[in-house]
Amino acid sequence: MRIDIITAVPGILDGVLNHSIVKRAQDKGLAEIVVHNLHEFGIGKYRQIDDYPFGGGAGMVLMAEPISRCIEQLKSERHYDEVIYLTPDGETFRQPIANRLSLAGNLMLLCGHYKGIDQRIRDLYITKEISVGDYVLTGGELAAAIVIDSVVRLLPGVLGNEESALSDTFQDQLLAPQVYTRPEHFQGLSVPEVLLSGDHEKIAAWRLEQSHERTLKLRPDLLSGTSEQL
Ligand code: ADE
């Protein structure tokens, strides 16, 4: 999979792209992630990328032309399955969207900043708008990082068998069961006996039961089918 990210603040993405599983996926050649600095497509001597909103109001708006130049250049090089704009008024990001995006060949992510981007970019180029939750971030970079992390870990070969994404919380509308590691006893609390039994069938049954119990207690909406997740 290839992911192109367009941003006015590329540095914000350094952490997520250069560590842990997202880095491993790139090192293994399973994901190619390329960051494009919007300032390089800016207008005039000062590489301007934003301007005052027509009609007045606070904040600056990212101009259509620099974004269009960048998108057009990328689109001339390959086909994109989705051109995604990260925005608080987009569709709320959930596991099924991550699953679907993980099947794509090429994705483009556009991060907004300041007061947003010129609407005409959304009208002309954007195929999907995603929000990571009902709160406003300074820009789309942290939201893009969330989308990238959750999608890249689903790519075949990125996680080892033992870390399989299939057992993740949300993959089957259930929260994952609790986990323990050594020591067996810690500050008066012990690891549940069944996990030490070596009986894999019993362990699997216990985990499923715990998953149901935890989901019922913490996220009953997932079980009742009223969740937006479904
Ligand atoms: N940009 C600013 N806030 C955002 C949010 N909640 N989700 C996605 N992109 C954003």
Side-chain angles (χ1 to χ4, degrees):
M1 166 181 282
R2 176 174 164 125
I3 304 175
D4 291 274
I5 312 159
I6 304 172
T7 167
V9 198
I12 299 179
L13 292 156
D14 287 348
V16 73
L17 298 185
N18 295 314
H19 293 90
S20 186
I21 283 172
V22 176
K23 178 174 191 300
R24 195 205 295 176
Q26 293 173 92
D27 291 345
K28 281 184 172 177
L30 300 169
E32 184 184 2
I33 305 177
V34 187
V35 179
H36 305 273
N37 186 344
L38 194 56
H39 291 275
E40 286 169 18
F41 298 84
I43 295 168
K45 195 171 144 198
Y46 298 105
R47 300 263 177 226
Q48 186 182 357
I49 60 166
D50 58 1
D51 210 337
Y52 296 99
F54 278 125
M60 302 290 270
V61 175
L62 287 178
M63 301 162 84
E65 203 176 334
I67 299 173
S68 162
R69 281 185 194 168
C70 185
I71 293 178
E72 291 283 359
Q73 184 186 308
L74 290 171
K75 282 179 66 159
S76 73
E77 292 163 2
R78 69 193 63 75
H79 167 78
Y80 286 89
D81 299 284
E82 298 281 9
V83 180
I84 300 168
Y85 175 47
L86 286 315
T87 172
D89 53 15
E91 182 184 358
T92 305
F93 192 57
R94 292 178 193 283
Q95 191 64 47
I97 305 179
N99 294 349
R100 237 172 290 133
L101 292 179
S102 75
L103 303 175
N106 300 311
L107 295 175
M108 198 190 305
L109 302 185
L110 172 62
C111 306
H113 234 256
Y114 314 104
K115 257 309 189 215
I117 63 173
D118 190 302
Q119 178 61 34
R120 290 164 292 187
I121 291 297
R122 298 169 78 161
D123 297 341
L124 288 168
Y125 297 110
I126 301 301
T127 61
K128 194 169 190 60
E129 301 194 326
I130 291 179
S131 162
V132 294
D134 287 344
Y135 41 81
V136 178
L137 301 165
T138 309
E141 289 75 13
L142 294 176
I146 287 170
V147 171
I148 290 166
D149 187 283
S150 62
V151 168
V152 166
R153 65 192 296 286
L154 296 173
L155 299 177
V158 169
L159 296 184
N161 263 349
E162 72 285 1
E163 319 165 288
S164 166
L166 291 175
S167 58
D168 285 346
T169 281
F170 295 124
Q171 275 304 9
D172 45 14
Q173 317 293 347
L174 287 175
L175 303 184
Q178 57 273 56
V179 293
Y180 299 86
T181 186
R182 285 187 287 185
E184 249 179 77
H185 306 285
F186 179 70
Q187 296 196 9
L189 299 178
S190 298
V191 175
E193 204 65 43
V194 61
L195 295 178
L196 309 171
S197 69
D199 183 335
H200 296 295
E201 248 173 60
K202 241 163 95 182
I203 292 171
W206 179 84
R207 286 187 168 145
L208 189 61
E209 188 188 293
Q210 294 300 313
S211 274
H212 277 280
E213 259 177 40
R214 281 166 61 80
T215 311
L216 199 61
K217 189 166 154 214
L218 302 171
R219 291 292 305 275
D221 56 305
L222 294 177
L223 291 174
S224 65
T226 55
S227 167
E228 290 166 65
Q229 158 113 0
L230 296 171

